[in-house]
Amino acid sequence: MMMEAEMAHTQTRVDRHRLLGLVLKTTATAIAALKTWQRAVSRRRAIAGLTPERLRDIGHAEAPAPVLEVKAGLVTNLIAMR
């Protein structure tokens, strides 16, 4: 009888230890993700406030501007269709 009680107590301690380890690991992962997100947001805010000249100074690539591609002869074809 005594041995079964000791085994149950030991098993409970092991289960608690595993649960605590899981909680700590999950909490650490959540904190790391939150810190990463906060850094990304602060970088975006800092970059958003810079002028194009300052962005070039720090070597940050500018956002690609929309490009209109016009093939040779397009205007002539459009005028001819008029």
Side-chain angles (χ1 to χ4, degrees):
M1 206 42 113
M2 185 70 145
M3 188 162 192
E4 289 177 10
E6 286 178 16
M7 287 179 65
H9 179 70
T10 302
Q11 184 62 34
T12 303
R13 288 181 63 193
V14 168
D15 290 343
R16 285 183 188 165
H17 183 70
R18 284 184 184 159
L19 180 62
L20 178 63
L22 179 64
V23 168
L24 290 176
K25 184 177 178 182
T26 304
T27 304
T29 303
I31 290 171
L34 179 64
K35 285 183 179 182
T36 301
W37 176 76
Q38 285 176 329
R39 281 190 213 111
V41 169
S42 68
R43 282 187 191 119
R44 274 188 243 126
R45 284 184 183 156
I47 288 174
L50 296 177
T51 62
E53 293 81 24
R54 291 197 178 204
L55 286 172
R56 280 193 297 273
D57 287 345
I58 63 171
H60 192 275
E62 292 183 37
V67 177
L68 179 62
E69 203 171 301
V70 178
K71 293 183 180 180
L74 177 65
V75 174
T76 306
N77 289 340
L78 290 174
I79 291 174
M81 292 182 352
R82 199 176 87 175

